[in-house]
């Protein structure tokens, strides 16, 4: 199977839903993907099983604050410089590109990077969603040493980090990103196909395409999306308050939805750190990270990203279970509510919403 | 010739004088050098002419704010990790260590790094003094591409920067340094011996030793030092005001010296940015960067570094010409007064002090 121009709108819609508000604006990624496919041709989608054990897989993502990166012009030279550095370090060129995070623009734009490099895209990612920090990837949870990060910025600088652990990886990569203008292309963990088995979340590109297609031409897009995701509907209402600030490469803030219709009288507050992390009603959480929480347009079921939240929008908040990897002790330690500074014990969204 | 424990006090005194207030506290470097020589033996001092053309020379320096770095414990693993990264990148191990800056602790501590690595020290440096920014080195002025920086911190992280130019080198290295705790070991420009010819300032380790020895056991240390340096005496007096602040990995501030004795009634102000950069009397500069300005104890002629300046100290301010390299157009563009934000046209210290 290959990803062609005609697949990009569905992929972008699906990635926006899986982005839980973050991962960058999908319009940027879509534009880049369409342009690159037009120039270099469709991008083959491969499975891990298709690759020889020693094939190098390069997980790529854009790092930066969404409010900055969706206005930055990405250069074609950035993936080339990362691939050159991979070859310099490993003595052989990469065999495939992988999305580090399938959520948001970072799930779509690797199609462009793969096209530009003439490489296939691996049908997998490192999150099954979007997360704001560098160490919040399946490879880290699977226990792979976070021993190599390669960054390339629009100016042409290439920075290679050999961190002692995932937290230093995050701290140093973030500092480089801010110094580079709050936006950079990053390869985190260059993997062999053998090493990737069990350490990446497989099938997520295909899944994002399916999620994106679920709402195409159906009479009830919201119902279709909810069904495809197996999501709980936390509230349907109106955005009445959005507070955001960008600091140190991050967007932080809150969004408040006041219920309408059947939900009149209810108020849901979302805590944001690039992504939607916790949904709270009357002081009680209804869903929390690492489960997925996405704000969608009630009529079209199109996901609204953090930077697109506006007063008065008619929205529905959906929440559904994350990949089981994130519910392991190491997964929760890495990306559970306490990893983001919330004094909450993780409770799965199915339990929290059983009686909603 | 080799550098032994008995040479370290003179080397440290000389490097402090050439440090123009910066380059880090020489006590830290001296302690490390003495310890390393005791453990690994004396360090051979070699000239460029002694090295084969393809021998790799690694210019090393500590990067960070002096007020932080002189309290940081440096680990022996840092130079080893840099050397390993050099070998990984170039496919052969380094042949010699070089001081990136001969001024301050950064002129002394490479003796320790060379001893720990079992390598000789090159009798050369990249400044002939100390400078606060990464791109302010002779290699940059000589037109060598600033294409590789390797940093290693006390935590064990290794960061390799391939910057597009010297200014990005500085910006990214500084960001990494601050994220790493405001202190790191840095290799800037890995050189071949052939490439180093004409791009480094040769003989500066020997020169620092001579400057340090000039004041040993003589009746008039200040006169001896002034004579050895060919320095102008800008003022002799008392430190009456010292203002310093540490921001973004830098120390900035001013120091005021009120003349005593023959200089009664005169007031000299020094502008500091890690180093002493401009000396001003009655709104008129008496010396300015890249010429060297050093505050010494009037009695002992020992240099006082920026972080050691205290109210009431009896001091003499000396100033003398920099290496001719810094007086070229590219040299002044890189490290002249305007490179530090001063609205001054460079005038050599000999002209400014001709009638002092």
């Amino acid at each position: 199977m290959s990803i062609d121009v005609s697949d990009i709108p569905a992929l972008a819609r699906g990635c926006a839903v899986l982005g839980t508000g973050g991962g960058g604006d999908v319009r940027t990624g879509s534009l880049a993907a369409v342009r690159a496919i037009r120039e270099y041709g469709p991008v083959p989608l491969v499975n891990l099983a298709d690759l020889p054990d020693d094939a190098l897989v390069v997980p790529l993502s854009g790092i930066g604050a969404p409010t900055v990166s969706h206005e930055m012009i990405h250069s074609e030279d950035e993936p080339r410089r990362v691939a050159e550095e991979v070859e310099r370090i490993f003595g052989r060129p990469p065999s495939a590109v992988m999305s580090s995070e399938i959520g948001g623009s970072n799930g779509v734009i690797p199609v462009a990077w793969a096209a530009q490099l003439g490489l296939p895209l691996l049908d997998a990612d490192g999150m099954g969603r979007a997360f704001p920090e560098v160490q919040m990837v399946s490879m880290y949870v699977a226990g792979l040493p976070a021993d190599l990060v390669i960054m390339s910025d629009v100016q042409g600088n290439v920075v290679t980090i050999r961190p002692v652990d995932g937290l230093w990886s995050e701290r140093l990569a973030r500092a480089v990103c801010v110094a580079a203008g709050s936006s950079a292309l990053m390869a985190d963990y260059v993997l062999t196909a053998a090493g990737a088995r069990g350490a990446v979340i497989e099938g997520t590109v295909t899944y994002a395409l399916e999620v994106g297609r679920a709402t195409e031409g159906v009479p009830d897009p919201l119902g279709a999306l909810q069904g495809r995701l197996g999501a709980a509907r936390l509230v349907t209402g109106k955005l009445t308050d959005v507070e955001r600030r960008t600091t140190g490469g991050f967007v932080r803030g809150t969004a408040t939805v006041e219920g309408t219709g059947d939900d009149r009288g209810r108020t849901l507050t979302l805590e944001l750190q690039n992504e939607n992390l916790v949904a709270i009603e009357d002081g009680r959480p209804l869903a929390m990270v690492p489960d997925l929480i996405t704000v969608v347009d009630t009529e079209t079921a199109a996901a609204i990203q953090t930077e697109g939240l506006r007063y008065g929008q008619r929205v529905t908040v959906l929440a559904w279970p994350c990949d089981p990897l994130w519910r392991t002790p190491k997964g929760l330690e890495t990306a559970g509510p306490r990893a983001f500074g919330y004094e909450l014990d993780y409770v799965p969204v199915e339990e929290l919403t059983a009686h909603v």
Side-chain angles (χ1 to χ4, degrees), chain A residues 210-244:
Chain A
E210 289 167 4
V211 169
R213 283 186 182 128
T215 55
E216 274 177 357
V218 295
D220 174 16
L222 181 60
L225 180 63
Q226 194 180 347
R228 184 66 193 77
L229 296 169
R233 193 180 56 75
L234 300 191
V235 75
T236 291
K238 196 175 94 165
L239 260 170
T240 56
D241 195 46
V242 182
E243 191 216 319
R244 272 175 307 222

Side-chain angles (χ1 to χ4, degrees), chain A residues 28 66-73:
Chain A
T28 317
T67 51
V68 173
S69 65
H70 87 273
E71 287 164 15
M72 288 284 284
I73 298 154

